[in-house]
């Protein structure tokens, strides 16, 4: 392994997310600040990749000049955590993007794969978000939105990290021809999951940050399949993100949304048809979610706030 290029020793101050409890989750609570060095973590990542059973070849890290050239050529900025890892050492094994040796054409293809996959889903009629306008297989409308969305920077295979916001801790997304999903809350958890790191750093985020455009697509994908019906999917998508932003883990939210309020999985229910729920069924489902939250120790006010029911009586 060649010696690493000079690294910018970024130090980041992070807030640990609060865990939900019986107290109000909406009240402004003081959160402990955690100071950590991305550079120190980057060193451990590169060392592990090179010494792990994967034995991934590591080249000298990218220089500031090389990074600046790439960012100018492709009109995006590497997020700080990925940037620091690439400066520490450049993985060049199979399925890793080679930011130094690959041609601009090859890199441009890698960067365009997420939008191509998404537009293909739109054209096939399998993906559409309500905020985009009346539902139709209009790839032109979707393409305009994708062009304004944060660039997804390839990390490994079909795994990408959003370039915006330009801060450490953005979620890692998995994108293929059929779906878009959150693979991990951030890069640290991604490397733990994919390459067998022994632990997740204490400062690593425990919930995925919401990302402009892409989180809406992910939310749409997450509700598709286990919920159906246009209005219901949009309603539950909003509930899904309100609960995530309130501190709940993704798997906890999914579990709650599949329960009948009495601890049993939902297989059928009032107003449930082969095509999903009718309008009355939407109200029934929201009531069930409210029951689950109340049984989980939430106050009535907190449950109403999380479900967006303020002032509805």
């Amino acid at each position: 392994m060649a010696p690493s290029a000079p690294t910018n020793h970024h130090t980041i101050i992070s807030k640990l997310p609060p865990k939900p409890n019986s107290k109000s989750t909406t009240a402004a609570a003081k959160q402990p600040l955690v100071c950590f060095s991305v550079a120190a973590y980057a060193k451990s990542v590169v060392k592990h990749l090179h010494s792990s059973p994967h034995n991934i070849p590591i080249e000298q890290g990218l220089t500031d000049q090389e990074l600046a050239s790439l960012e100018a050529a492709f009109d995006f900025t590497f997020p700080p955590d990925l940037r620091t890892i690439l400066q520490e050492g450049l993985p060049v094994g199979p399925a890793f993007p080679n930011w130094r040796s690959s041609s601009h054409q090859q890199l441009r293809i890698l960067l365009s794969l997420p939008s191509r996959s998404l537009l293909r889903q739109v054209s096939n009629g399998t993906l559409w978000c309500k905020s985009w306008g009346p539902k139709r297989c209009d790839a032109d409308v979707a393409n305009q939105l994708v062009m304004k969305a944060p660039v997804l920077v390839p990390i490994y295979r079909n795994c990408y990290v959003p370039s915006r916001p330009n801060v450490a801790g953005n979620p890692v997304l998995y994108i293929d021809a059929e779906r878009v999903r959150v693979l991990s809350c951030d890069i640290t958890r991604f490397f733990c999951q994919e390459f067998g790191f022994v632990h997740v750093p204490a400062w690593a985020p425990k919930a995925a940050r919401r990302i402009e455009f892409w989180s809406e697509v992910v939310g749409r994908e997450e509700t598709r399949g286990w919920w159906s019906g246009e209005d219901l999917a949009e309603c539950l998508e909003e509930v899904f993100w309100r609960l995530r932003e309130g501190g709940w883990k993704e798997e906890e939210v999914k579990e709650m949304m599949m329960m009948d309020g009495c601890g049993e999985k939902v297989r059928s229910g009032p107003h449930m048809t082969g095509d999903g729920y009718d309008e009355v069924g939407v109200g029934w489902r929201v009531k069930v979610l409210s029951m689950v939250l109340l049984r989980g120790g939430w106050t009535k006010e907190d449950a109403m706030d999380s479900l967006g029911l303020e002032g509805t009586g």
Side-chain angles (χ1 to χ4, degrees):
M1 174 180 170
S4 62
T7 302
N8 290 330
H9 291 269
H10 298 285
T11 297
I12 294 178
I13 301 295
S14 175
K15 287 185 177 181
L16 292 177
K19 293 183 179 180
N21 51 43
S22 59
K23 297 181 180 180
S24 174
T25 58
T26 58
K30 292 184 178 180
Q31 300 177 26
L33 294 178
V34 179
C35 180
F36 63 92
S37 168
V38 176
Y41 175 74
K43 287 181 182 294
S44 68
V45 168
V46 171
K47 181 179 179 180
H48 182 85
L49 291 178
H50 187 60
S51 62
S52 69
H54 304 283
N55 196 28
I56 296 167
I58 304 291
E59 291 186 356
Q60 180 175 332
L62 297 175
T63 65
D64 287 338
Q65 183 177 357
E66 286 177 312
L67 286 164
S69 177
L70 287 165
E71 292 174 338
F74 300 111
D75 194 26
F76 75 88
T77 303
F78 286 95
D81 40 9
L82 176 59
R83 182 188 187 92
T84 307
I85 290 171
L86 295 177
Q87 285 185 299
E88 181 63 34
L90 180 66
V92 293
F96 281 95
N98 191 324
W99 294 103
R100 178 177 288 126
S101 301
S102 295
S103 67
H104 276 203
Q105 181 181 9
Q106 291 172 316
L107 292 175
R108 199 172 296 280
I109 289 174
L110 278 178
L111 288 162
S112 68
L113 286 178
S115 58
R116 288 185 180 183
S117 297
L118 184 142
L119 294 176
R120 188 177 298 113
Q121 293 178 56
V122 171
S123 298
N124 292 338
T126 59
L127 175 65
W128 189 264
C129 296
K130 193 172 184 179
S131 66
W132 299 354
K135 186 172 184 180
R136 55 187 185 278
C137 302
D138 193 334
D140 290 335
V141 171
N143 185 56
Q144 293 176 18
L145 294 169
V146 170
M147 294 294 289
K148 298 177 183 178
V151 173
L152 297 187
V153 185
I155 304 175
Y156 175 75
R157 298 190 188 279
N158 293 63
C159 307
Y160 295 78
V161 63
S163 59
R164 300 198 314 265
N166 191 236
V167 295
N170 287 340
V172 174
L173 305 181
Y174 178 89
I175 301 180
D176 60 20
E178 298 182 351
R179 65 181 307 185
V180 182
R181 65 187 178 91
V182 173
L183 185 64
S184 61
C185 297
D186 76 329
I187 282 181
T188 65
R189 291 182 184 275
F190 166 75
F191 282 110
C192 286
Q193 292 169 198
E194 297 298 316
F195 297 100
F197 277 37
V198 294
H199 70 281
V200 177
W203 42 259
K206 295 178 174 58
R209 173 182 291 137
R210 190 160 193 178
I211 303 297
E212 175 191 351
F213 179 80
W214 294 107
S215 288
E216 183 179 15
V217 174
V218 170
R220 185 65 176 164
E221 292 277 4
E222 295 293 354
T223 56
R224 188 176 69 183
W226 47 291
W227 295 102
S228 57
E230 183 70 21
D231 293 335
L232 179 59
E234 294 298 333
C235 171
L236 293 177
E237 178 183 332
E238 180 65 20
V239 171
F240 178 90
W241 283 111
R242 282 181 178 272
L243 292 174
R244 288 297 304 280
E245 290 168 357
W248 293 86
K249 296 179 181 178
E250 180 178 341
E251 57 269 23
E252 292 174 334
V253 176
K254 286 184 178 180
E255 183 71 14
M256 283 192 295
M257 295 177 81
M258 291 299 290
M259 304 296 277
D260 66 357
C262 301
E264 296 295 329
K265 294 283 185 179
V266 173
R267 293 182 174 83
S268 63
H271 315 287
M272 190 175 189
T273 68
D275 297 323
Y277 292 89
D278 59 23
E279 292 183 4
V280 178
V282 172
W284 174 78
R285 176 51 42 195
V286 172
K287 284 184 178 180
V288 168
L289 290 172
S290 300
M291 290 172 59
V292 172
L293 292 178
L294 292 173
R295 292 188 179 200
W298 288 46
T299 66
K300 179 180 178 182
E301 292 74 18
D302 287 342
M304 292 179 66
D305 179 70
S306 291
L307 296 175
L309 303 175
E310 302 97 325
T312 58

